[in-house]
Amino acid sequence: MVIVSLLFFVLFLFFLHKSSVVIAKSLSSYFIFMFLGLVGVSIPLGYVLSFLDLTGSSVSWSIGLSLIAGIAYFLITRSVKGDFIKLFQESLDEKKELWQKIGQTEKVIYSILFFGLLVCTLINVYVLFVTYPNEWDSMTGHLVKCAYYIQNGNMDRLSGTTWSIDFYPNSLPSLQILGFHVFGEKGFKLIHFLSYWIFVITSYSITDEIFSNKRASIFVGLISALLPSALIQAVTTETDIVQSAYLGLVVLFLLKVYRKPSWLNVGLFVLSSSIWVSHKVTFMLIGPAVAVLVVFMIWKSQEVRNKIVKTVIFLLLGLAIYVLPNGYIANVKEVGTFSLGALSAPAEVMKWHGIEGYSGIEKLKNFEFNVLRYSSDFLQLDGIRNTELGSEINDAFRYFPNKVFDKFGLERGLYWVVYPFEMMGNEQMHFYKERPYWGIISFLLVLPILFFILLRAWKNRGSEKMQLSLVFIIAGLLHFLSLCFSAPYDPIKGRYFMNMVVWFIPLLAWFFEIKRGKFYLVFCSIIIVISGFFTLTHRGLYPLTGNRSIFKQDRIAQLTQTRPESTEAYYAFEKLVPEDAVVALGTQQEHEDYVYPFWGAEFKRTLIPIHPFRAAVKPIPKEAEYLVYSEGVIPFKEGDVRLNEGDKEPDTPVMESTFFLRKL
């Protein structure tokens, strides 16, 4: 059956490739269409297979994908044929010609950035293939959700211990489960790695759409690829790199509709928007920024105005296909009352992560603090400060920013989630290693170019490039302010601000428009490459150096990298519990227990949660052969085996559990 699945999946890729070649006008657009086809087919297919109880069937996935893609292939290529070799050759010739035309300084810039990207890509590809997913949220929620779906054969609600198991949308799990069926456990990370490259390609394409300047577009693409937060998430199972890819697609197709409002471009915008909205409820925080671009397009183009009604109808249809089945409605039903927060989390969680319970004064004060706190967080040498010497350099760099921000009393223990704000970041918790911001890209590249645009805006107000640049600045600032307003301070917010790059990084093209500052760009390129390298070599989840290096760790040690005092519990569990056993889970939300490792390497165990989020413990199911529980959830019984010593060191933001095992 494995061979059958692979054959049908290859057939799916063949159909997808042929269809994409026909539509694509360039190599970059070919890859965009390949990605859009992959996610556009896989997400609704995941909903259908769940309805049929076939989520765990790899054969059903591959047959379904190839069937849908095959129909699209015959419809698209009926009268038109594409030529991939021609696309590739045209792209190669264009880059060769460009290389011959540019000056020596620009060649140095590109060479530095290409070399840095090559090194970082080799590191990330190695990590992709040899490591196991081990992010905190995945071990408690995201991949736990996927594993339950594969085990049960459907995406029905699970009453899981962690709230995110039931409340996160089912759009991304469909894609992660597909990756699992094709490549096994490490395939959970596939969609995130692909999203990283689509984020890079859309940054390049958006820049080209605005400025029609290939030199600038390539520079922007390379800078995007070396963004610390993007490099980190490229090989994790976090949701935000996927969100960034989707947002890049939405913005790109909006620009294409603006340039040429054909029904093909409108359809691609509708498809990408529907997928984006289905991904995560935080689309609402980005919505105002996207609306700025939409309003500009409507104001400037009569052709766009003429297509509004039909576009809205198509968009509603797209939302019905991609969004209605993804879980938002079920979330509201479970909460019991409609609110924006109810779309994404239980009411109690929104008290921790949201501002719905704040008074008007508290909301404004939280907003004020966040604007300053997150501005401070941007002014760090991300990546570089991960090393001992780099930390000292960062401390010296922060001398003047600290003097300024200290005046506002930002370190007061007010308005925070997970961990309170600290001017330099907590070295023991080192959130900044896994949640970096933009490094020097934000304050040495983006900030100066923003000032340049604002200074030149009135003089060049008739230029369409300037008008779009101002629209992108307004959109980016709205995006930033929306994130600052929507929740208390969170030290992991660096991953949210990665989406904001879509607005600001294309504006770096102005360095090439004004044809100045090339030696400055050489200097910045060197720092960016160094930053990217140390971001990957000295991260917390997949360290390449030190005692906890991935070269020295097996699967369980990697899975528990961020919960080291629980590691022995999972080793003991593996020794005592058969790999195909039925296990009742008495884990707890308070300690954010890692559930994912209990499935085992082959995912043959059946896990049954008996302690739903903020609810009483359920009776142990009769079919359960073992019970594993966290101390405090179920009373200890004579004969229960203690699996670990519990929390001894204050090295994690949440206490680690002591686990016990009972043979039933």
Side-chain angles (χ1 to χ4, degrees):
M1 297 301 281
V2 173
I3 295 175
V4 172
S5 298
L6 287 175
L7 287 175
F8 273 106
F9 185 73
V10 169
L11 184 61
F12 161 68
L13 291 179
F14 170 79
F15 288 142
L16 195 58
H17 158 74
K18 287 292 187 180
S19 301
S20 300
V21 166
V22 170
I23 305 172
K25 298 290 189 290
S26 65
L27 192 61
S28 59
S29 63
Y30 163 79
F31 288 118
I32 284 172
F33 292 139
M34 283 287 288
F35 178 82
L36 197 57
L38 173 68
V39 298
V41 172
S42 301
I43 292 170
L45 178 62
Y47 301 154
V48 172
L49 292 178
S50 171
F51 179 76
L52 299 173
D53 287 334
L54 292 172
T55 301
S57 169
S58 59
V59 173
S60 299
W61 274 96
S62 57
I63 291 176
L65 288 170
S66 58
L67 181 63
I68 298 171
I71 294 171
Y73 163 72
F74 286 113
L75 291 175
I76 293 171
T77 63
R78 204 167 32 180
S79 57
V80 185
K81 302 297 177 184
D83 187 346
F84 178 77
I85 301 298
K86 182 182 177 183
L87 283 179
F88 181 82
Q89 191 62 52
E90 286 176 351
S91 177
L92 188 62
D93 292 343
E94 180 186 60
K95 302 304 182 291
K96 284 180 179 178
E97 184 181 351
L98 182 66
W99 183 258
Q100 291 169 356
K101 287 181 178 179
I102 62 176
Q104 291 302 314
T105 309
E106 287 185 13
K107 286 181 179 178
V108 171
I109 293 169
Y110 293 139
S111 297
I112 292 169
L113 294 174
F114 268 116
F115 175 74
L117 178 57
L118 176 63
V119 172
C120 290
T121 300
L122 289 174
I123 293 173
N124 263 346
V125 168
Y126 177 81
V127 169
L128 178 70
F129 285 109
V130 305
T131 64
Y132 299 90
N134 64 357
E135 297 75 42
W136 187 298
D137 287 348
S138 292
M139 297 297 97
T140 61
H142 299 322
L143 292 190
V144 175
K145 182 186 187 85
C146 291
Y148 275 133
Y149 286 172
I150 294 167
Q151 167 190 292
N152 298 343
N154 58 59
M155 298 182 179
D156 294 348
R157 295 183 85 81
L158 298 155
S159 298
T161 301
T162 303
W163 65 271
S164 59
I165 294 173
D166 288 292
F167 274 80
Y168 261 66
N170 291 329
S171 170
L172 179 59
S174 295
L175 301 169
Q176 291 171 319
I177 289 168
L178 172 62
F180 173 84
H181 282 309
V182 178
F183 295 106
E185 184 178 13
K186 293 167 186 174
F188 281 132
K189 297 187 282 188
L190 177 64
I191 183 59
H192 305 266
F193 188 66
L194 295 177
S195 295
Y196 162 77
W197 287 108
I198 294 302
F199 162 71
V200 172
I201 293 171
T202 53
S203 297
Y204 162 87
S205 301
I206 289 168
T207 308
D208 196 43
E209 202 69 38
I210 296 173
F211 294 93
S212 299
N213 186 327
K214 281 290 185 286
R215 294 180 302 157
S217 302
I218 292 170
F219 175 76
V220 167
L222 290 168
I223 296 296
S224 303
L226 291 166
L227 189 80
S229 54
L231 284 171
I232 278 287
Q233 284 208 34
V235 289
T236 70
T237 47
E238 294 286 11
T239 60
D240 305 282
I241 188 68
V242 184
Q243 175 93 296
S244 298
Y246 290 165
L247 178 60
L249 291 171
V250 170
V251 173
L252 174 62
F253 289 125
L254 275 173
L255 289 172
K256 286 189 175 296
V257 169
Y258 174 61
R259 298 288 188 208
K260 183 183 178 182
S262 66
W263 285 115
L264 173 62
N265 287 335
V266 169
L268 292 169
F269 160 69
V270 166
L271 177 59
S272 58
S273 297
S274 302
I275 293 168
W276 171 54
V277 172
S278 77
H279 176 68
K280 196 177 179 183
V281 78
T282 47
F283 78 87
M284 290 190 294
L285 303 180
I286 310 170
V290 175
V292 171
L293 179 56
V294 172
V295 169
F296 173 80
M297 291 168 51
I298 293 171
W299 173 53
K300 294 286 285 186
S301 173
Q302 180 64 47
E303 284 188 89
V304 171
R305 292 196 291 273
N306 292 340
K307 285 184 163 62
I308 289 177
V309 175
K310 289 183 179 179
T311 300
V312 170
I313 293 171
F314 290 143
L315 185 58
L316 290 174
L317 179 60
L319 296 177
I321 295 170
Y322 289 92
V323 180
L324 286 184
N326 82 336
Y328 290 149
I329 295 174
N331 290 348
V332 173
K333 285 182 179 178
E334 185 163 325
V335 172
T337 56
F338 177 79
S339 68
L340 296 181
L343 291 170
S344 63
E348 185 168 350
V349 173
M350 291 310 299
K351 292 178 183 177
W352 312 335
H353 291 275
I355 58 170
E356 291 184 2
Y358 285 15
S359 67
I361 298 295
E362 287 173 329
K363 288 177 181 177
L364 288 175
K365 194 64 181 176
N366 172 69
F367 176 61
E368 175 192 333
F369 268 31
N370 279 347
V371 169
L372 294 167
R373 285 170 169 174
Y374 291 130
S375 296
S376 173
D377 283 345
F378 267 101
L379 294 174
Q380 305 278 4
L381 301 178
D382 291 310
I384 292 172
R385 65 171 168 159
N386 292 3
T387 67
E388 189 174 342
L389 176 60
S391 180
E392 294 175 7
I393 296 172
N394 188 69
D395 289 348
F397 164 76
R398 284 287 305 191
Y399 178 79
F400 288 110
N402 285 355
K403 287 286 186 183
V404 174
F405 287 109
D406 272 340
K407 297 181 185 299
F408 298 99
L410 301 180
E411 298 204 21
R412 280 179 278 171
L414 298 172
Y415 312 119
W416 57 272
V417 180
V418 178
Y419 204 85
F421 172 79
E422 290 188 9
M423 200 70 73
M424 300 300 293
N426 187 290
E427 290 189 10
Q428 189 174 27
M429 299 301 177
H430 54 72
F431 295 109
Y432 55 85
K433 288 187 177 181
E434 302 312 316
R435 305 291 188 270
Y437 283 70
W438 304 359
I440 70 159
I441 294 170
S442 59
F443 55 87
L444 289 187
L445 289 180
V446 171
L447 199 58
I449 217 68
L450 293 186
F451 284 124
F452 167 82
I453 292 170
L454 294 175
L455 288 172
R456 292 288 188 94
W458 180 253
K459 183 179 179 181
N460 298 323
R461 60 188 181 278
S463 162
E464 189 178 58
K465 294 175 185 177
M466 181 59 74
Q467 291 173 358
L468 282 169
S469 296
L470 289 171
V471 167
F472 271 55
I473 290 174
I474 294 169
L477 290 175
L478 267 179
H479 193 148
F480 176 75
L481 295 175
S482 177
L483 290 174
C484 289
F485 180 79
S486 62
Y489 174 80
D490 192 335
I492 69 172
K493 221 38 168 245
R495 63 192 181 96
Y496 285 12
F497 286 106
M498 178 173 58
N499 309 147
M500 206 169 74
V501 171
V502 171
W503 305 112
F504 288 120
I505 211 159
L507 304 182
L508 300 184
W510 280 103
F511 279 112
F512 291 80
E513 290 289 307
I514 60 177
K515 300 177 182 179
R516 294 180 190 170
K518 296 299 168 58
F519 288 106
Y520 178 71
L521 293 184
V522 170
F523 166 75
C524 289
S525 297
I526 293 170
I527 303 301
I528 289 167
V529 167
I530 294 171
S531 171
F533 178 74
F534 285 126
T535 293
L536 297 183
T537 58
H538 288 70
R539 52 187 155 189
L541 290 178
Y542 303 117
L544 302 184
T545 60
N547 294 329
R548 295 181 66 79
S549 162
I550 58 173
F551 299 112
K552 301 176 182 178
Q553 293 187 325
D554 60 13
R555 178 179 179 272
I556 290 178
Q558 286 187 33
L559 294 181
T560 56
Q561 180 79 255
T562 49
R563 307 301 302 266
E565 292 179 87
S566 299
T567 306
E568 62 177 310
Y570 298 103
Y571 279 125
F573 181 85
E574 282 297 315
K575 289 180 181 177
L576 296 171
V577 180
E579 66 175 15
D580 59 350
V582 179
V583 182
L585 287 177
T587 47
Q588 60 175 306
Q589 164 72 33
E590 285 75 7
H591 293 180
E592 299 197 19
D593 294 334
Y594 280 13
V595 170
Y596 180 86
F598 287 124
W599 264 282
E602 301 300 322
F603 289 85
K604 292 181 179 179
R605 292 193 187 102
T606 299
L607 304 187
I608 306 173
I610 62 171
H611 188 205
F613 176 74
R614 290 295 186 269
V617 178
K618 294 179 179 179
I620 299 171
K622 292 180 181 179
E623 64 267 31
E625 301 166 289
Y626 291 85
L627 166 70
V628 63
Y629 65 92
S630 172
E631 186 176 33
V633 176
I634 292 171
F636 177 83
K637 194 174 176 181
E638 191 66 34
D640 290 357
V641 179
R642 183 173 182 147
L643 298 178
N644 66 320
E645 293 300 315
D647 197 74
K648 302 294 182 185
E649 299 290 335
D651 55 355
T652 56
V654 180
M655 181 179 288
E656 296 190 55
S657 288
T658 302
F659 290 106
F660 292 86
L661 179 69
R662 182 182 301 173
K663 177 77 169 71
L664 301 173

